[in-house]
Amino acid sequence: MERASVERRRGRRANVKAPLLIRRFGASGLGPAMEEVVENISLAGVYFETGESSVYAPNDAVMTSVSIPEAQRREFPFTRLAGRSRVAWIKELPPGAPEGRKRFGVAIEFG
């Protein structure tokens, strides 16, 4: 018997391509900023894809900053979201990347 997936999102998502800066918390404070591109966003969090799986781990505390491009501000009610967040999950994506590189989907939860 197949298990149906359960939708757990707390808010409506907007498919917005936007720059994302992430800084991990470490023993000596905030680490260097890493740049990613948001695939979609809600008031509860963001989703992005990356080739860097070792950089992120579930439950990592991070500081995030997302700036919504002016052309997409009608799809999302804020121009910028920034603050303390956590890595909710990381999943390896199905093959399909050029040159056989692995890609990972990463969800960040705000708050």
Side-chain angles (χ1 to χ4, degrees):
M1 178 178 197
E2 286 186 42
R3 256 178 102 171
S5 65
V6 176
E7 181 65 49
R8 295 186 193 132
R9 292 181 180 155
R10 292 183 288 170
R12 187 179 67 82
R13 291 209 166 257
N15 291 321
V16 172
K17 299 275 189 197
L20 170 67
L21 292 177
I22 302 174
R23 297 179 73 188
R24 289 179 62 197
F25 286 99
S28 59
L30 286 173
M34 295 168 280
E35 294 184 38
E36 301 289 354
V37 176
V38 168
E39 296 286 325
N40 65 53
I41 188 169
S42 76
L43 295 177
V46 297
Y47 170 81
F48 65 93
E49 295 178 1
T50 183
E52 302 293 328
S53 69
S54 62
V55 175
Y56 308 104
N59 295 314
D60 275 354
V62 293
M63 286 294 288
T64 54
S65 176
V66 182
S67 297
I68 307 302
E70 188 172 340
Q72 296 181 310
R73 290 187 183 154
R74 289 181 181 256
E75 297 177 44
F76 196 72
F78 295 97
T79 57
R80 185 168 178 262
L81 290 171
R84 192 176 188 117
S85 309
R86 77 172 185 91
V87 177
W89 52 260
I90 302 169
K91 292 183 181 172
E92 186 172 340
L93 299 173
E99 302 171 13
R101 292 186 209 147
K102 289 186 178 183
R103 299 281 301 159
F104 301 86
V106 181
I108 301 284
E109 181 179 51
F110 299 140

